Amino acid sequence: MPNKKPTPDTFQTTLPLPLENEEHLDISTLENWLWDAACVIRGATDAPKFKDFILPLIFYKRLSDVFDDEFAKQVEEFGNEELTRDIIKADHEDALKNDRPPIVRFYIPQEYRWEALRNHPADGHLGEFVTDAMRQVARFNPRLQGVNPEPYSTLYDPACGSGGLLIKPRLLFEQNHPDKKGQAPQIYGQELTPTTYAMAKMNAFLHDFIGAEFRIGDTLANPRNAKTRYYSSISPNIS
């Protein structure tokens, strides 16, 4: 009797990784590994949404690598890993409190280092752990939490899609400045696809952002907003 294929609930989540002693990882191998990782993580999610799962993990891995490199340099200076870990944590907390640059660019708590994420058991709580890890890293590194617009600023997205990257900072401003809604940033966007353009217009309308300006068209061939003004922040949602 032929062996049955594993169901999503019992699918083996261990992925074959390149050998550590390999000096180079060719593009084809990397693409295949990312595809397999996406299949494991996404479950029943449609293939076009792979990036919603994979890109945050790649970004998180990069942050962890940066921290590991800078942590190693500090260990050379202080001579002890445990002491270095305590110094970096105390320094980062003081840097946030006093609005100064810390000695490491990004702080990753020990319990949320990449190794902890990578070696987390497939016990049904991996997704919860990843979510908690990303939230904690964002809390310790406010620069990762997105645009924090100033009063009367202008935000522009040349490939705005449904307008999410413009709506979120506007909502953040109103959350942080509930008594200054009249000073909220003005948002501008352009979108190529008519259906998605309509969604952006509806998105702004549903949030009562009546003054939002969205244009339809090819931004590269005919940038209808960029020709007429300068912007405080530009958030291109290009994928």
Side-chain angles (χ1 to χ4, degrees):
M1 183 174 180
N3 294 329
K4 294 183 179 179
K5 294 183 178 180
T7 63
D9 293 334
T10 60
F11 190 84
Q12 174 58 258
T13 58
T14 302
L15 294 172
L17 298 177
L19 297 176
E20 293 185 358
N21 60 358
E22 291 183 0
E23 295 184 0
H24 298 286
L25 180 64
D26 62 83
I27 297 299
S28 178
T29 302
L30 177 60
E31 289 176 345
N32 290 333
W33 185 81
L34 289 175
W35 179 266
D36 291 340
C39 291
V40 169
I41 295 169
R42 73 182 179 90
T45 303
D46 292 338
K49 292 187 176 292
F50 279 5
K51 65 180 185 297
D52 295 341
F53 297 90
I54 293 302
L55 292 182
L57 286 175
I58 293 175
F59 181 65
Y60 192 92
K61 176 63 165 64
R62 175 57 182 165
L63 293 180
S64 188
D65 287 347
V66 170
F67 177 79
D68 288 345
D69 290 343
E70 296 184 351
F71 178 80
K73 292 179 181 178
Q74 296 300 321
V75 170
E76 292 179 1
E77 179 175 346
F78 297 112
N80 180 282
E81 285 194 7
E82 185 174 354
L83 174 63
T84 301
R85 189 173 294 112
D86 292 340
I87 291 174
I88 288 177
K89 181 179 180 180
D91 172 80
H92 201 82
E93 291 174 348
D94 181 75
L96 292 177
K97 182 179 179 180
N98 295 290
D99 194 25
R100 64 169 178 81
I103 59 177
V104 295
R105 284 175 286 175
F106 304 105
Y107 176 67
I108 311 293
Q110 177 67 16
E111 62 270 27
Y112 293 120
R113 300 274 288 276
W114 179 257
E115 287 302 314
L117 188 151
R118 176 178 173 179
N119 295 319
H120 192 282
D123 56 0
H125 298 287
L126 176 58
E128 180 181 350
F129 179 80
V130 171
T131 300
D132 290 343
M134 291 187 176
R135 286 176 177 171
Q136 289 300 316
V137 169
R139 184 174 69 86
F140 279 108
N141 302 274
R143 288 186 297 165
L144 302 178
Q145 297 184 18
V147 178
N148 189 8
E150 299 294 329
Y152 300 113
S153 58
T154 52
L155 310 178
Y156 174 55
D157 188 341
C160 66
S162 59
L165 288 183
L166 296 170
I167 298 294
K168 288 180 181 178
R170 171 75 179 252
L171 291 173
L172 178 62
F173 178 90
E174 294 188 353
Q175 176 183 332
N176 294 336
H177 308 282
D179 57 337
K180 297 181 179 180
K181 290 188 177 182
Q183 302 176 20
Q186 179 65 32
I187 58 178
Y188 302 85
Q190 185 164 334
E191 171 58 32
L192 176 63
T193 306
T195 302
T196 315
Y197 159 78
M199 292 174 62
K201 296 279 287 186
M202 288 186 287
N203 199 0
F205 180 79
L206 291 172
H207 286 89
D208 200 27
F209 299 160
I210 305 301
E213 293 188 21
F214 293 103
R215 307 290 183 88
I216 188 170
D218 187 335
T219 305
L220 294 178
N222 182 23
R224 301 178 62 189
N225 284 314
K227 292 180 178 179
T228 58
R229 64 183 74 246
Y230 293 98
Y231 300 98
S232 306
S233 300
I234 299 178
S235 303
N237 181 17
I238 300 174
S239 59

